[in-house]
Amino acid sequence: MKKTGAEIFLESLIKEGVDTIFGYPGGVVLPIYDALYKSPLRHILVRHEQGAVHMADGYARATGRPGVVLVTSGPGATNTVTGIATAYMDSVPVVVFTGQVPTTLIGNDAFQEADIVGITRPCTKHNFLVKDINDLTRIIKEAFYIATTGRPGPVLVDLPKDVLSAEAEFAYPEGVNIPGYQPTYKGHAGQITRAMELILTSKRPVIYAGGGVVSSNAAVELTQLARKLDIPVTTTLMGLGGFPGTDPLFMGMLGMHGTYAANMAVTNTDCLIAVGARFDDRVAGNIDEFAPYAKIIHIDIDPTSISKNVAVDIPIVGDVKSVLREFLKLPRAATGLKAFKKGVTDWHGQISEWRRTHTLTVKQDMKGRIKPQYVIERIYKITGGDAVISTEVGQNQMWTSQFFRFASPRTLLTSGGLGTMGYGFPAAIGAQVAFPDKTVIDIAGDGSIQMNIQEMATAVQEKLPVKVAILNNRFLGMVRQWQEFFYDKRYSYTCIGNRPDFVKLAEAYGAVGLRATKPSEVDGVIKKALKVKDRPVLMDFVVDAAENVYPMVPSGQPLSKMLLV
Amino acid sequence: MRHTISVLVTNEFGVLSRIAGLFSGRGFNIESLCVAETSDELVSRMTIVTSGDDRIIEQITKQLNKLINVIKVHDLTGEEYINRELALIKVNSTAETRAEILGIVDIFRAKVVDVSPRTYTVEITGDEEKIRAITELLKPFGVKEIAKTGRIAMARSLKVK
């Protein structure tokens, strides 16, 4: 029996194991929406297409399964671009389906036409325009395959309206045949042995783990290896949760707002083991002075990440999980593990000393203003760390990375690469859709939350108990901090004092709004919010506007040049 | 240093813009780019001439390989390969200069492919040096127009050191 392109599209999604679509209807995707009317697929109706992509992204990061987006042509498609670029920079598997004007009208400046394949070429892993209904299932299969394998990333598929209305037999392909795409999963055995030998002759080793550990589901292997060899671990922002934040070997995050211990350890290490990380400028500071004494081992599935920013001594291209498993097999055979462990005792002593002298602490005067860090610390304590946390971008994001100890992977959703304000709230919604019973909290600033606040309506409509904790300092705090440090306190356009009343705003949407203005009210607000199970809660924490994020490595400086409190 | 990179890509729409976009988006430099179908109609060969230090060339080849439409990347630089460019040069000719121009054409084993009362159009294939040389020699006669392809290249099968 023949089916329409729209029906084939939905059947294909089911074949791919998709259960939820984040979308927004429009003219050219009407055939799909009509077929969706009687489909078992769940469709979350967003209020802005950017929100749909961030939701799918949050869903994907929290579950490890691809997030799916469906939007219309023209403005529907262009509104997805920030979401796609966000997913691209952080290697998140998202498949975005955009409607397109009929093939006969493409290039005619038709109503709601945009060359979205052209627009998203540099910010997708790959993208497709389906010109013939007979290519539809193959392209959908390839889109999901490309998005989820190798280094994951967003894929966009553009669907002209006439393709959606045309008819064909439905036959979903079993596999894919893409000659130009064969990711390397297995690491080179010789390189792995060489790397292990290097580690065992080092005296001051450090593991530097990134988002690749999370996306390759290798947290267990990384933890085993670090514990087996007794090597201290630091992670990037994207790597948080990839190693238990409570483990004695964990030094915290490194980089611009990394801990003193992590930055000093990386500066002084003689053997840096980079695992699924890419030496980004926020991590490395001044690249020429990054890990100056270290031999560097770099494990990454993406060959372009290797020796892009930093010259590497032992590159290993492969899937982090698979490579770490090979590493785990080696120490048994390798002699000198005992001697190695003995040799690194001084190094552990040094790290403990750095830790002891520069601990991240919250100094909350219970009679003073609420410290933003205190709010995060209380959220951590009250939830017992058992929550999926998303953040926006800026001070809220950095304080979260410092004061919430992520115990397991896929519990932190944050826009690390692109740094997208407005990401956290829809991402939290996406995670809550995937895990209706989990506690999901977006830690936000009063600036960022206003960038996608319209999704409150989505959360209310879907009865999602997602929580938002606004660290309300009446400023675009991180930019204000830079103005304070580097622009002689000229606070040019960073004061957003005439904000809305967030409690009333929440109530206007049909959500719960709560406010704390004194430190003594913080616990009560958090506990009250956690009790709400049938609608979103917006918590407005009116915090001290003068707080800054420390430590801070000024842009372009080496990691050892930290500004400390 | 200049590198000649031969890239096999799937022969479909949009591939050229992916390659061009990769170079412009990452600040790599394209000196010339030639593309045409190979003996397999599903595959095209692009010959790209680019320049950069070793680190940049390594990134260029890796980034090219990362594109889904790219099947194979081969940096020919440093091995033996044949490279050719083709140029059409329209040069002023008069009764006095015709013989001299034909002499140059003959020496370079070029061809005159179009004649008008006042011009010759010369077709020349060869490497960059050869084309530059004939162009310089024709200049004094008055070159009206030049159309040049970029470089195409192929590795030699028999490698004699």
Side-chain angles (χ1 to χ4, degrees):
Chain A
M1 198 188 79
K2 289 202 167 184
K3 288 177 188 271
T4 65
E7 289 165 339
I8 290 173
F9 166 71
L10 293 177
E11 291 286 322
S12 301
L13 294 190
I14 290 167
K15 288 275 184 197
E16 285 296 332
V18 173
D19 53 19
T20 309
I21 303 173
F22 301 90
Y24 201 92
V28 297
V29 285
L30 272 168
I32 296 177
Y33 274 84
D34 192 48
L36 204 49
Y37 195 66
K38 48 188 187 300
S39 163
L41 285 163
R42 181 177 184 192
H43 178 276
I44 306 290
L45 176 62
V46 302
R47 295 302 184 271
H48 186 290
E49 290 88 350
Q50 184 189 349
V53 188
H54 291 328
M55 283 178 208
D57 172 315
Y59 176 99
R61 291 191 209 217
T63 62
R65 299 196 306 269
V68 177
V69 175
L70 171 62
V71 298
T72 193
S73 64
T78 54
N79 276 344
T80 65
V81 172
T82 301
I84 293 171
T86 303
Y88 184 64
M89 289 289 271
D90 291 345
S91 310
V92 181
V94 171
V95 185
V96 177
F97 294 95
T98 51
Q100 183 54 279
V101 301
T103 49
T104 48
L105 286 180
I106 289 177
N108 280 355
D109 299 330
F111 177 66
Q112 292 194 329
E113 179 184 0
D115 173 15
I116 198 62
V117 169
I119 289 169
T120 60
R121 209 168 272 138
C123 63
T124 49
K125 186 171 171 186
H126 196 57
N127 58 18
F128 297 92
L129 168 64
V130 184
K131 283 180 152 178
D132 184 335
I133 190 170
N134 295 309
D135 294 332
L136 183 58
T137 52
R138 175 184 62 79
I139 286 175
I140 295 172
K141 180 88 192 170
E142 289 181 0
F144 278 91
Y145 181 77
I146 291 168
T148 54
T149 53
R151 179 180 180 175
V155 175
L156 181 139
V157 182
D158 204 16
L159 303 166
K161 190 175 189 182
D162 53 338
V163 172
L164 296 173
S165 316
E167 293 193 336
E169 293 291 339
F170 177 66
Y172 203 65
E174 293 287 318
V176 296
N177 174 23
I178 315 169
Y181 180 67
Q182 263 119 27
T184 308
Y185 284 90
K186 204 170 151 9
H188 186 280
Q191 292 289 83
I192 293 172
T193 308
R194 269 188 285 282
M196 201 65 207
E197 281 163 3
L198 178 64
I199 294 169
L200 291 180
T201 54
S202 70
K203 297 273 179 263
R204 302 187 305 278
V206 167
I207 292 175
Y208 145 54
V213 173
V214 177
S215 55
S216 136
N217 297 314
V220 172
E221 288 78 3
L222 178 70
T223 309
Q224 282 176 356
L225 186 71
R227 286 179 182 162
K228 193 165 196 168
L229 300 178
D230 215 11
I231 299 179
V233 178
T234 178
T235 74
T236 66
L237 178 63
M238 301 310 300
L240 288 172
F243 186 79
T246 47
D247 193 288
L249 287 170
F250 188 57
M251 299 183 289
M253 185 174 80
L254 82 164
M256 183 173 274
H257 294 295
T259 63
Y260 185 78
N263 283 345
M264 292 306 285
V266 167
T267 303
N268 289 284
T269 178
D270 62 349
C271 177
L272 186 69
I273 307 148
V275 187
R278 59 185 176 88
F279 300 86
D280 144 270
D281 55 285
R282 283 297 191 266
V283 158
N286 183 335
I287 212 88
D288 298 327
E289 294 180 62
F290 179 72
Y293 311 110
K295 293 268 187 210
I296 300 177
I297 298 162
H298 189 184
I299 308 167
D300 205 294
I301 196 159
D302 179 358
T304 67
S305 287
I306 289 173
S307 293
K308 181 173 67 178
N309 298 331
V310 169
V312 168
D313 298 285
I314 304 183
I316 302 170
V317 175
D319 174 46
V320 164
K321 191 183 186 82
S322 149
V323 172
L324 290 181
R325 281 189 172 166
E326 294 304 313
F327 269 95
L328 282 166
K329 287 181 197 159
L330 288 174
R332 231 176 305 145
T335 51
L337 183 57
K338 234 183 204 163
F340 166 72
K341 282 197 177 180
K342 207 171 156 210
V344 297
T345 22
D346 285 356
W347 179 233
H348 282 286
Q350 172 68 74
I351 289 170
S352 303
E353 184 63 14
W354 284 327
R355 249 196 253 257
R356 198 179 56 74
T357 53
H358 296 84
T359 318
L360 289 170
T361 45
V362 182
K363 295 181 199 80
Q364 180 65 63
D365 170 5
M366 292 309 283
K367 292 209 168 59
R369 293 170 191 274
I370 302 173
K371 297 284 182 191
Q373 302 94 322
Y374 176 71
V375 175
I376 295 166
E377 196 179 63
R378 294 314 301 160
I379 291 174
Y380 177 64
K381 288 274 157 58
I382 292 168
T383 58
D386 182 20
V388 175
I389 302 291
S390 72
T391 77
E392 303 292 339
V393 168
Q395 290 182 319
N396 59 80
Q397 182 182 35
M398 290 299 106
W399 283 322
T400 302
S401 68
Q402 294 177 335
F403 292 96
F404 200 99
R405 295 180 168 207
F406 294 92
S408 52
R410 303 194 180 282
T411 54
L412 170 63
L413 320 172
T414 191
S415 170
L418 196 67
T420 307
M421 288 172 71
Y423 167 80
F425 182 40
I429 294 174
Q432 189 81 78
V433 165
F435 298 111
D437 301 325
K438 277 196 185 173
T439 300
V440 182
I441 306 172
D442 171 34
I443 296 177
D446 48 320
S448 288
I449 191 60
Q450 295 186 64
M451 285 214 177
N452 271 317
I453 190 70
Q454 77 285 344
E455 300 310 328
M456 190 60 82
T458 308
V460 169
Q461 183 172 356
E462 295 291 333
K463 299 188 172 58
L464 297 168
V466 54
K467 315 291 186 287
V468 182
I470 302 178
L471 308 175
N472 185 346
N473 60 8
R474 284 80 66 206
F475 273 96
L476 303 174
M478 187 58 93
V479 185
R480 189 206 57 77
Q481 176 172 339
W482 283 55
Q483 288 173 334
E484 180 184 333
F485 290 179
F486 311 119
Y487 294 88
D488 291 330
K489 301 188 181 178
R490 289 187 295 277
Y491 297 124
S492 182
Y493 301 102
T494 43
C495 180
I496 49 169
N498 57 343
R499 69 207 176 280
D501 178 330
F502 287 112
V503 171
K504 282 186 185 163
L505 184 65
E507 286 164 357
Y509 274 112
V512 177
L514 303 169
R515 178 173 293 127
T517 54
K518 291 187 290 212
S520 57
E521 294 167 351
V522 170
D523 281 18
V525 163
I526 296 169
K527 286 175 183 164
K528 206 168 171 186
L530 291 174
K531 288 205 183 88
V532 179
K533 303 288 182 197
D534 61 345
R535 69 190 70 185
V537 184
L538 210 156
M539 297 172 269
D540 183 20
F541 295 100
V542 181
V543 300
D544 186 352
E547 271 305 303
N548 289 321
V549 183
Y550 292 105
M552 177 172 189
V553 180
S555 192
Q557 294 287 319
L559 290 188
S560 55
K561 298 256 160 63
M562 281 168 272
L563 305 175
L564 301 161
V565 194
Chain B
M1 185 185 164
R2 288 175 91 195
H3 284 247
T4 303
I5 302 174
S6 177
V7 188
L8 291 179
V9 300
T10 53
N11 183 12
E12 50 190 292
F13 63 89
V15 177
L16 179 60
S17 73
R18 282 181 208 281
I19 305 262
L22 167 66
F23 276 75
S24 64
R26 292 191 180 268
F28 304 144
N29 159 44
I30 299 185
E31 290 185 13
S32 77
L33 188 155
C34 272
V35 51
E37 214 173 274
T38 61
S39 55
D40 178 350
E41 60 173 4
L42 299 174
V43 177
S44 293
R45 182 187 300 276
M46 288 191 185
T47 310
I48 302 171
V49 179
T50 182
S51 57
D53 59 27
D54 290 351
R55 199 179 59 85
I56 289 174
I57 298 297
E58 181 183 333
Q59 268 298 309
I60 290 174
T61 52
K62 283 176 169 179
Q63 293 285 355
L64 283 169
N65 261 314
K66 191 170 163 180
L67 293 176
I68 309 288
N69 296 115
V70 169
I71 300 165
K72 197 168 176 222
V73 179
H74 188 175
D75 183 358
L76 295 164
T77 312
E79 49 184 282
E80 291 194 32
Y81 68 98
I82 308 151
N83 75 85
R84 291 289 181 272
E85 293 173 25
L86 184 148
L88 296 173
I89 306 167
K90 189 179 282 179
V91 59
N92 287 331
S93 65
T94 60
E96 297 81 59
T97 61
R98 255 175 219 142
E100 200 179 338
I101 291 171
L102 288 176
I104 292 169
V105 165
D106 194 40
I107 291 164
F108 279 86
R109 277 184 274 171
K111 270 192 285 186
V112 173
V113 289
D114 188 49
V115 183
S116 79
R118 292 200 187 86
T119 62
Y120 273 155
T121 299
V122 178
E123 176 200 302
I124 169 99
T125 56
D127 60 15
E128 196 182 5
E129 284 303 303
K130 183 176 172 186
I131 290 173
R132 190 181 302 146
I134 194 172
T135 312
E136 287 304 315
L137 288 170
L138 293 176
K139 262 185 188 167
F141 304 102
V143 171
K144 292 173 74 84
E145 266 184 275
I146 296 183
K148 272 201 290 189
T149 67
R151 179 185 298 185
I152 57 166
M154 195 172 276
R156 283 188 192 275
S157 301
L158 185 64
K159 285 167 176 121
V160 186
K161 277 281 166 194

